[in-house]
Amino acid sequence: MERNGRKNAEMRPVHIETGLQKYADASLLWSQGETKVLVAVTIEEGVPSFLKGSGRGWLTAEYALLPASTQTRCAREAALGKQSGRTVEIQRLIGRALRRGLDLERIGETTVKIDCDVIQADGGTRTAAISAASLALALAANRQVEAGRWPKKALRQSIAAISVGILAGEIRLDLEYAEDAAADVDLNVVMTEAGAFVEVQGTGEQGDFSREQLAAMLDLAAGGCREIFSIGAAFREGKV
Amino acid sequence: MERNGRKNAEMRPVHIETGLQKYADASLLWSQGETKVLVAVTIEEGVPSFLKGSGRGWLTAEYALLPASTQTRCAREAALGKQSGRTVEIQRLIGRALRRGLDLERIGETTVKIDCDVIQADGGTRTAAISAASLALALAANRQVEAGRWPKKALRQSIAAISVGILAGEIRLDLEYAEDAAADVDLNVVMTEAGAFVEVQGTGEQGDFSREQLAAMLDLAAGGCREIFSIGAAFREGKV
Amino acid sequence: MERNGRKNAEMRPVHIETGLQKYADASLLWSQGETKVLVAVTIEEGVPSFLKGSGRGWLTAEYALLPASTQTRCAREAALGKQSGRTVEIQRLIGRALRRGLDLERIGETTVKIDCDVIQADGGTRTAAISAASLALALAANRQVEAGRWPKKALRQSIAAISVGILAGEIRLDLEYAEDAAADVDLNVVMTEAGAFVEVQGTGEQGDFSREQLAAMLDLAAGGCREIFSIGAAFREGKV
Amino acid sequence: MERNGRKNAEMRPVHIETGLQKYADASLLWSQGETKVLVAVTIEEGVPSFLKGSGRGWLTAEYALLPASTQTRCAREAALGKQSGRTVEIQRLIGRALRRGLDLERIGETTVKIDCDVIQADGGTRTAAISAASLALALAANRQVEAGRWPKKALRQSIAAISVGILAGEIRLDLEYAEDAAADVDLNVVMTEAGAFVEVQGTGEQGDFSREQLAAMLDLAAGGCREIFSIGAAFREGKV
Amino acid sequence: MERNGRKNAEMRPVHIETGLQKYADASLLWSQGETKVLVAVTIEEGVPSFLKGSGRGWLTAEYALLPASTQTRCAREAALGKQSGRTVEIQRLIGRALRRGLDLERIGETTVKIDCDVIQADGGTRTAAISAASLALALAANRQVEAGRWPKKALRQSIAAISVGILAGEIRLDLEYAEDAAADVDLNVVMTEAGAFVEVQGTGEQGDFSREQLAAMLDLAAGGCREIFSIGAAFREGKV
Amino acid sequence: MERNGRKNAEMRPVHIETGLQKYADASLLWSQGETKVLVAVTIEEGVPSFLKGSGRGWLTAEYALLPASTQTRCAREAALGKQSGRTVEIQRLIGRALRRGLDLERIGETTVKIDCDVIQADGGTRTAAISAASLALALAANRQVEAGRWPKKALRQSIAAISVGILAGEIRLDLEYAEDAAADVDLNVVMTEAGAFVEVQGTGEQGDFSREQLAAMLDLAAGGCREIFSIGAAFREGKV
């Protein structure tokens, strides 16, 4: 399967655009190849009941595919009256991953809500959402720090995520939709800037994978995450 | 209440962007001042059961506010498991209005689905959605005609919509959110290119309105709709 | 299409019956031709959370078709687990219209609930429900005033509503179901006793309408509303 | 506790009114004292999937309290999105009881739907609904027979139901709401015209009951059912 | 229909096993022939809102069939998003019956929750659940008394339940599934240790029943309940 | 934290009991320490609509915690009307894992349903469910093969799963609930008998993990899975 000239270890180009949503505490449109995710961060007073009185904050995420984002239009979950199992699984993953980026002990009883709405889906939407959300969270946190509402160290670290897959025996980074649909094994990796793992989710529905394949996939993923951290850093320094 | 130098009879500037959603049959991001609505048209084989065997087509619309589109984040309806009364009312209005634009007798047993997702909400989202949807429908219909799937006259006419309100006694065109929230009377008008009405929905929750006020509001609305038809025509001719 | 000898500008006869529901603060069965709506007003302590502490009251309405009220039995919404879009739209309209009749500032933190249950549906159920609810609200308000619970001016004004339509080019008042189903344009008008508009909802799903047609429809509607106010006044004076 | 001069073994007066719902196959408003139930019978082609191809018919019932029917307004189940356990239990009982009245083998693949909407609830609504539904079913069946759609013996037998209770040691027939709320034991009995039992549902939430008390309650119930059969017969003969 | 050598008046053997659920306040697996019900009692601080401040406790029950418990797998209600009418009816019955066993005035504002999960369903699951729950409640109450949290007389009395049916004219005790499915009349009886009735629910969907048949069924049921009380007493004395 | 004398690399003892559910195609109660999961396999004719006509089979899983299975009673999802995100995630994982064990191409248009009901939850319920389900699937497949309904090679391979965690810097196999709640990192591993990975799900909500820690965790997991395969083999040979 062709991948438009990309090498197996090569990520798709990332493009970041801001300014679509002025009411959010931070918002950006993250394009990774043809995958486009609009991510918004909203910071609200108060915490869910299980944290009331704890002095700690909380972070939660929601995810949706816009109906026209997919090759064949997908049904609107609000109209169905129910989020799918896939949606719930993805938004739980995004929330867990991002909570590693924020020091919930330092933000008081405040809730951070991350909305990830997929405008166009060409594979890797959940990992793109995590990388985008980490960057948007950094932007929002900076504003909170500047406004004196959060201490300087509220933001703990950046988080990045990328997918890797095995396709007809080849290990490929950052799968497009057509690759993802044909892959035997699919691995999503979430990492910290320091190179540690936050999540490793490998699934072999069409095949299983060996210890060596897992190692090779983790190597590719680590390279991808390093590149995402560079892109984020350049963006924050105004270089992109 | 200030309106950033706009006169009472003046519409907000409209900006149209395409290219965000390549899988849809047509998609565009319609900005009217700070209100931004992403509209996508999807054409599917088949019709709902009440039309099966009739040889006629159908058109239906769905509407949603992205959670971060509003000044205070609004809850995601998919997570609530239910569309609000306001959402249902708006998407029924959009569907009714757009069905006037398409000749359902000529498209065979085909369903047109219009998705209106509000990226940023600064008043007038339902009327912006209708104007945007009419333009996107024209783009999609052209492609269907070019591909030989629809006859030339499948598209019946363009549709435009605009809001008008009475605010502290003044009649104003194309209300922003702050104006809308303060208005005594709110009127949404949907018109055809020939200048006829498709929908007239005037509501006076904070006050009622006289026959003369209604006439003055309809005059302003007609002017607004003419301007929207010009913008659409220029866009289709590639002049915008 | 025949209308049983009625002229185009003629309303159906109205008949009002009380005594079916003794526990409500007011209840009446409003028959308008073959359309029959049972309306009950219940007054409860307290207000929804968005008004707590405001010192203001609230009014809300609910609407339902009994399953056997329609020509073909309609499904019971409680059994479906969901109110239809049409139901939600209608009950929002009734609530908005009736809030114009009551001075919510003067009734303290009290909620007025209006239940409109359609016993038999032969067209115009939403406008019949509004006219009936306004009369029932007046009865309930009188009792509140007599009991010293509400001030004399709690009731602001009476409200009436009627439908008008264009059918094969003719403008007709107070459409029956068969007319409504065949109409090109349908207009629902809600007015105050002083002759101002509270709601004007004109819809042209099968055709559009000109400024002149709108004016003619509004004339007919105004006449119909005046007649409804006379009926209500006579009823309250015990003359009916 | 007083019961307005009624003796313990005395039923409340029954009043039957027709003509409220012309679209149903039969409809009547059954008043038993202050309890009023509007019952409609609708006959539809087809049967649920578990009976398709069986050649047999089906009968099912739905029950609801109108919100203003009760002393304190009860929430509308369609708005809650869910029927209560009590509602489900009652409509299952009505359906079971009425299926004993109809010979489902003789009506072909036809479904009889019985809607029981309580207009005013003063105790005994489920038993009143059963008695009323049996009479309405007889009226509808007669029309089916006259129209040649059902054979003569489609209607098997009449069904009647009544409540009995133990209140401060006294056994009373046909409890009003205040009695029902104060009763130690509540028994609902459904009988055939031939004097056999279809359902016997005795519940002692506030107390239990002996074999002797059960016998005495069944005696009273049998008398009540006989009276209901007389009322129904007189009604069908046009004597009421 | 054979019943494996059992006589008509003979109950199926009962076997009681504990130790499956250590976190509950009491839990036991009740086997009655091939019917197996796992019952757990959980005691929680607090009461539902309608009892807050009353000083009284509450008891409520939930019931479910495990999907693989039935001859043909039944759908999981959590996946359907709804409890069936049958489930709701049964859990209301269990709750009512068990509230007769506990003195809610003596346990303070405490809620007892009884979970009845059917592992294998061979008829009579609701009556087995009641008998089992009464025994589990006694075990839990003893622990509460021993721990000084409840007074000695919190437990009012034991409760037992059994089914009886009429099958081809024969009256049989404790129906198995095949018998239940073929029965003309089905009677569930709930009794106290003192021999009084708590619930009598007789249903004749396939036939009706006479006063004499009812008497004979009640005799068999009373014998069955006496046997269940003996089994419970032996179990509590450690003899089983 | 103590673990009752277990070493870090030591699994909890497994105990397998059959005979609780005779109607299922296979059923067993899997105890792993204090965690107890009742697993049933049901084989049904037909496949979901997306596979109709494909000639392939399907396998799907459902998971639930019985309310009294947890230290603090958890709410019954059927009563809530909704499965939690955690439940949906787990049952999707179980289904994916088990589909690797069965050759869906060889079983025709047949659906295998796996019900995993947790009787007692002391950590590791999802991995215990997978190991148990694989064994139950083998039993059911054998019966299908013996009955001539499935070919010999329908069962592809056995599957096992186990959890590993990092707790205060120590890597431990097969976490109990108290360990799981205190763990910094939690890894669930699903493997084939041949030693390949089917799923690797590592999550660091309280901390992240290095490449070396991941390797050490995978080593422990592989050992645990080997032990589970031995237990399953012994069971199938009748040695347990």
Side-chain angles (χ1 to χ4, degrees), chain E residues 22 62 73 76 115 120, chain F residues 22 73 76 115 120:
Chain E
K22 68 176 175 181
E62 290 183 357
R73 183 184 181 275
R76 186 177 293 271
D115 287 292
Q120 194 167 274
Chain F
K22 67 177 175 181
R73 183 182 180 276
R76 186 179 294 269
D115 287 291
Q120 195 168 272

Side-chain angles (χ1 to χ4, degrees), chain B residues 50-61:
Chain B
F50 70 92
L51 284 174
K52 272 187 188 141
S54 69
R56 298 183 61 221
W58 188 239
L59 180 151
T60 187

Side-chain angles (χ1 to χ4, degrees), chain A residues 97-114:
Chain A
L98 269 290
R99 282 193 289 273
R100 290 299 307 152
L102 192 63
D103 193 336
L104 299 170
E105 306 288 347
R106 295 181 188 244
I107 63 171
E109 296 199 2
T110 294
T111 296
V112 177
K113 290 190 178 161
I114 298 184

Side-chain angles (χ1 to χ4, degrees), chain F residues 19-210:
Chain F
L20 277 168
Q21 297 186 304
K22 67 177 175 181
Y23 304 126
D25 287 287
S27 165
L28 52 84
L29 176 64
W30 179 281
S31 305
Q32 190 161 342
E34 297 288 337
T35 285
K36 296 177 190 171
V37 188
L38 180 62
V39 172
V41 173
T42 306
I43 299 170
E44 297 178 349
E45 286 308 296
V47 281
S49 55
F50 71 93
L51 283 175
K52 274 190 185 135
S54 69
R56 297 183 62 221
W58 188 239
L59 180 152
T60 186
E62 290 183 356
Y63 168 96
L65 293 167
L66 290 207
S69 67
T70 50
Q71 298 202 10
T72 301
R73 183 182 180 276
C74 60
R76 186 179 294 269
E77 292 182 333
L80 296 176
K82 204 179 158 176
Q83 291 181 306
S84 74
R86 177 184 174 276
T87 291
V88 171
E89 207 170 289
I90 291 176
Q91 62 194 17
R92 281 163 54 90
L93 169 64
I94 300 171
R96 274 200 314 272
L98 270 291
R99 282 193 290 273
R100 290 300 305 153
L102 192 62
D103 194 335
L104 300 171
E105 306 288 347
R106 295 179 189 246
I107 62 171
E109 295 200 1
T110 294
T111 296
V112 178
K113 291 190 176 158
I114 297 185
D115 287 291
C116 304
D117 287 275
V118 178
I119 303 292
Q120 195 168 272
D122 190 27
T125 62
R126 78 186 71 187
T127 47
I130 291 170
S131 302
S134 176
L135 181 54
L137 180 60
L139 302 179
N142 280 352
R143 287 175 200 159
Q144 292 291 102
V145 172
E146 281 166 16
R149 284 191 293 265
W150 282 3
K152 280 200 177 169
K153 296 192 173 171
L155 197 75
R156 196 150 49 184
Q157 58 192 337
S158 287
I159 302 292
I162 193 104
S163 78
V164 199
I166 308 180
L167 192 72
E170 283 178 20
I171 296 179
R172 296 186 177 188
L173 182 66
D174 192 20
L175 304 185
E176 296 168 22
Y177 177 75
E179 293 175 311
D180 191 45
D184 292 316
V185 175
D186 181 43
L187 178 75
N188 292 302
V189 179
V190 184
M191 299 188 80
T192 66
E193 231 166 333
F197 297 116
V198 171
E199 293 264 347
V200 173
Q201 295 203 342
T203 294
E205 188 153 342
Q206 306 302 325
D208 37 49
F209 50 104
S210 67

